[in-house]
């Protein structure tokens, strides 16, 4: 039950934070640089698949080990590293091969990936510990 709590808490924190950032900062930024290259509406199935896969990776590599070690700070640090690597892979590859990709998109999204993943993993571990 504690692992389900960990997954749900981490996922909810991640989704709420990401929804706010996507709406307020990232969508306008990407729209400014990519314009007509963006869809008007999201493709829901790939978005759901990303969140499920990414949360699985966060659980496996960050949250479960931090919970077992009773080390929320490890979840924060390791989550930030994982987020930087994951978002960096996407952003740096996109910047390498796409004409209109902008360095500001790379910097902001990589930073966001680190903050979002670290805070979500940390918060999920804190909630799971509190409810255990």
């Amino acid at each position: 039950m504690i692992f389900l709590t960990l997954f749900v808490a981490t996922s909810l924190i991640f989704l709420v934070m990401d929804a706010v950032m996507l709406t307020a900062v990232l969508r306008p930024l990407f729209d400014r640089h990519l314009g007509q290259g963006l869809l008007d509406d999201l493709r829901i199935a790939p978005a759901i698949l990303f969140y499920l896969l990414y949360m699985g990776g966060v659980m496996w590599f960050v949250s479960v080990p931090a919970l077992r070690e009773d080390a929320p700070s490890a979840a924060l640090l390791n989550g930030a590293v994982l987020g930087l690597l994951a978002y960096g892979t996407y952003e740096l590859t996109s910047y390498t091969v796409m004409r209109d990709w902008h360095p500001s998109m790379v910097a902001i999204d990589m930073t966001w990936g680190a903050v979002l993943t670290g805070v979500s993993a940390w918060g999920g571990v804190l909630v799971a510990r509190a409810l255990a």
Side-chain angles (χ1 to χ4, degrees):
M1 184 66 172
I2 193 166
F3 295 113
L4 179 60
T5 302
L6 179 64
F7 180 83
V8 170
T10 304
S11 297
L12 285 174
I13 294 166
F14 189 96
L15 288 171
V16 169
M17 288 177 63
D18 207 27
V20 170
M21 183 68 163
L22 285 170
T23 303
V25 177
L26 292 175
R27 178 62 191 216
L29 176 66
F30 278 52
D31 198 33
R32 184 174 339 121
H33 294 289
L34 301 178
Q36 296 297 319
L38 292 177
L39 294 171
D40 291 331
D41 296 314
L42 295 176
R43 291 182 178 138
I44 298 300
I48 291 170
L49 183 58
F50 164 75
Y51 283 115
L52 289 173
L53 287 170
Y54 196 68
M55 284 299 101
V58 171
M59 293 295 107
W60 182 266
F61 293 111
V62 177
S63 299
V64 170
L67 185 64
R68 285 189 175 140
E69 295 168 13
D70 195 27
S73 60
L76 180 64
L77 176 62
N78 293 333
V81 170
L82 179 63
L84 181 66
L85 290 170
Y87 281 62
T89 299
Y90 171 75
E91 285 296 334
L92 293 170
T93 300
S94 296
Y95 186 53
T96 299
V97 301
M98 299 176 99
R99 181 187 65 239
D100 295 329
W101 219 258
H102 194 269
S104 65
M105 295 162 52
V106 174
I108 290 170
D109 205 27
M110 285 178 66
T111 302
W112 177 239
V115 170
L116 174 62
T117 307
V119 169
S120 299
W122 174 73
V125 169
L126 290 178
V127 169
R129 283 175 62 207
L131 297 177

